[in-house]
Structures are given as structure tokens and as C-alpha cells.
Amino acid sequence: MSEKALRDHNTLPGSDRKPESTNKGTLMNNCTENVTENLEERQRINSASLVSTPANGNAPINCGGEVGTSEIEYIDSEKLTDVEDVDIALKTLLAGLDSKDWLLVCDTLNNARRLALFHKEVMLDVVGDVIAFLVKSLKNPRSAVCKTGIMTSTDIFHAYNDQLIDFLDPLLVQLLLKSSQDKKFVCEAAEKALVAMTSSVSPTLLLPKLQPHLKHRNPRIRAKASVCFCRSVLRLGIEGIKTYGIDKLIQTAASQLSDQLPESREAARTLLLELQTVYEKSHDPAPSSSDPPETSSWENFCQLNLSPLNAQAVLRVTNAAREGFVLGS
């Protein structure tokens, strides 16, 4: 190229060279946008991947890609089918419950439910270890694992009853916590598990386990424990309540009567009315007795066993119920 041509080229105005630069920038931007769109599309596909459960209730299946928003089917107890191979299910049980794959954990929890319902004898030797993993699943931040673990607790309560008492404490704490939280579907499952517990475990064994939680610093946990305590006492029956001690029970109920939450206070009122009925049936003075009726009255019993303020509160509740009954009749 001649010297003149080079000189002419170098003296071209900057504005004449801009279209070339602009075209290159546009091309690069288009390429970047296409790559971004492709990435976003792949992310949308992955996020849309669901975990489906076959109709036969077997393990959830990952339908492709990294699971973003996942759904699993929660199988009701009456819809659970038996395991295909008991030996394999039992052999892989603890390892599956300890897995880092949450889908495998949910699948194994359902197998634990099947074993409890259909083959409870074969799992009895490891039920303590199973409950330890249940507690771990209830602490899991993933709601699917938590709820499946709670449903497993329900089936295990129904299957093993009093055989769980030595392993109950950590599981009870978690169920009380989950029944008092804000996630409705987890809360409802936990309340169902607590009902299964109070209907399956003997009251004489369960009441001492519940007693400490009546003084928990969290009022919602106290309320759930109060409901369980009341429900368990009602299962004792008249003779069981007398044996356990009406004096001890009335002190517990009176302490809950002024609790923060209405759920706890209502449980205390229900318990006090039951205690009053049992007391009056068992202290009905005989016609030949020389003792004046007031010495064995419900009012006298409350005043002897409670502080003046608590006795007044208890009598206010029970007298109001009695007056309401008389007016209603």
C-alpha cells in the first residue's frame, strides 16, 4: 500500500468507523441473549420437574433434572400396601433413613410404615433406631420429609403402643413443636400423631412424660401438652384417676387454668369437670355416715389441696358448669 493510501486511511473520521464496531457489539449482545435465554429455559425445565408417585404407592420418582419445586404423594395408612420383600426392606431400612437423598428417605419412611403395619414383629428389634431417625426427619427443613416422618410416627404409635415408652421423649418434643408451628399441613399431621400417641400409649406411662412440657416456656407447646394430658387422663377412667391421685391431677389442672392460650385453659376446664365428677362419685356419703357432708365436699377438697386463689378459680369453673347444667335441664 502506498504512503498516500496509508495516510488517507489513518485520517478517516471516527464516525465513519462506528457502524462496524456497533455491528460487532450487536452481534455479541444477541449471542449473549441467546445463551441466557437457553440457560433460563433449561432452568425453567428443571424447576418444572416434579417428583411423581405411582398409583401403587411405591417410591417417588424423580422425573428428570435437578428438582426445583417437588411434589410427593402422602399416602394414608389405609392405602399403604405391603412391602414386596420383607427381608430387603428390613436390611435397607436404617441406611435408607440415614441417606442424604431426601427422596430415598421419604421412600424408606413409607417402608417403615409398611413394616409397622404388616410385619411389626420384624422391626421391633430396631424400633429404637427407627425412632432416632424419625426425630431427625422431623427436624428436616424440607416439609415433605418432615410430614412423612410425622405420618410414620402415627403408624408406629398404633403398632407398638407401650413398647415405645423408652424411646418416646425426643419424639414427643418434636411432635409438640411441629403441632404448634404455622405450616398448617405439618401442624395437622403432628396433631393426628399426638392423638395416636394418647390413644395408644397407656396413660400411667404417658402422663409423667407429658408433665414437664406443661411448664414449657413456649405457650403453644404448653397448650398442646395440656390437651394431650387431658386426653390421657380421661382414658384412665374412674378407678385409674383415683389410683393416680385426684389431688395431684387437680393441682396440675389448676395451674393450666390461668395459662396464656385458650386451648390450654379449655383443656384444664375439661379435666377439672372430669375430676369433679370422679370425686363426687367416689365420695358420696353413705346414709349411715356420721361425718357431715361438707367435710367430703368438692369445695372442701379444693380448698384443702389448692392455694386460695387456685381453689377460687377451680370452684368458679366447676360451679358455673353445674349451674349451666341445672339451667339446661
Side-chain angles (χ1 to χ4, degrees), residues 284-310:
D284 207 4
S288 58
S289 174
S290 58
D291 294 332
E294 55 269 17
T295 60
S296 60
S297 68
W298 171 251
E299 289 78 5
N300 188 58
F301 176 76
C302 291
Q303 291 164 356
L304 287 174
N305 289 279
L306 299 171
S307 68
L309 284 177
N310 281 347

Side-chain angles (χ1 to χ4, degrees), residues 14-282:
S15 59
D16 293 341
R17 293 196 301 268
K18 280 183 182 178
E20 181 182 357
S21 175
T22 303
N23 290 338
K24 289 181 180 179
T26 303
L27 182 60
M28 291 298 293
N29 287 341
N30 288 339
C31 292
T32 303
E33 289 173 1
N34 289 338
V35 171
T36 302
E37 287 175 1
N38 290 337
L39 285 173
E40 290 175 350
E41 182 63 24
R42 285 199 295 272
Q43 288 172 353
R44 281 195 294 271
I45 293 172
N46 287 338
S47 296
S49 299
L50 300 178
V51 180
S52 63
T53 305
N56 62 5
N58 289 333
I61 299 173
N62 186 348
C63 296
E66 178 185 352
V67 178
T69 304
S70 301
E71 295 178 358
I72 68 168
E73 181 182 356
Y74 302 108
I75 311 169
D76 293 333
S77 300
E78 56 272 16
K79 294 181 180 178
L80 281 169
T81 57
D82 196 357
V83 293
E84 294 182 2
D85 190 312
V86 177
D87 291 335
I88 292 178
L90 186 62
K91 189 178 297 184
T92 58
L93 184 64
L94 298 183
L97 292 176
D98 196 30
S99 173
K100 297 186 184 303
D101 180 350
W102 71 272
L103 291 174
L104 178 58
V105 172
C106 288
D107 184 34
T108 310
L109 285 168
N110 282 327
N111 277 343
R113 297 172 66 196
R114 293 182 176 98
L115 290 172
L117 292 174
F118 297 102
H119 310 279
K120 67 178 185 179
E121 297 83 7
V122 302
M123 201 169 70
L124 184 57
D125 290 341
V126 295
V127 73
D129 296 320
V130 171
I131 289 181
F133 285 118
L134 273 185
V135 173
K136 182 180 176 182
S137 71
L138 266 61
K139 295 178 181 178
N140 194 300
R142 191 180 289 274
S143 297
V145 176
C146 181
K147 181 172 179 178
T148 308
I150 294 171
M151 295 174 75
T152 306
S153 304
T154 300
D155 292 325
I156 283 182
F157 282 132
H158 286 312
Y160 294 102
N161 313 114
D162 293 350
Q163 293 170 306
L164 302 177
I165 198 65
D166 292 336
F167 316 109
L168 185 60
D169 287 324
L171 182 58
L172 174 58
V173 170
Q174 289 303 313
L175 289 174
L176 290 172
L177 283 169
K178 297 306 175 184
S179 68
S180 12
Q181 67 166 234
D182 295 327
K183 287 185 180 178
K184 185 177 179 181
F185 75 106
V186 172
C187 179
E188 289 175 347
E191 288 184 342
K192 186 176 179 180
L194 290 173
V195 170
M197 178 189 70
T198 53
S199 63
S200 301
V201 180
S202 299
T204 52
L205 297 175
L206 184 57
L207 289 173
K209 301 287 186 181
L210 289 167
Q211 193 94 34
H213 301 291
L214 299 175
K215 298 180 180 180
H216 198 281
R217 65 176 180 270
N218 185 330
R220 298 173 73 177
I221 291 179
R222 288 200 306 270
K224 298 300 180 182
S226 295
V227 172
C228 292
F229 192 88
C230 175
R231 193 186 297 126
S232 195
V233 169
L234 296 181
R235 288 189 63 222
L236 282 170
I238 294 177
E239 293 304 318
I241 289 175
K242 288 164 58 179
T243 302
Y244 194 88
I246 300 180
D247 53 343
K248 292 191 296 183
L249 292 172
I250 195 176
Q251 290 168 6
T252 299
S255 68
Q256 298 299 303
L257 198 56
S258 58
D259 202 70
Q260 181 177 342
L261 294 182
E263 189 177 12
S264 184
R265 298 195 298 269
E266 184 58 34
R269 282 192 286 268
T270 301
L271 180 53
L272 286 169
L273 294 175
E274 179 68 13
L275 295 177
Q276 180 190 24
T277 300
V278 171
Y279 180 86
E280 291 180 342
K281 283 183 178 179
S282 58

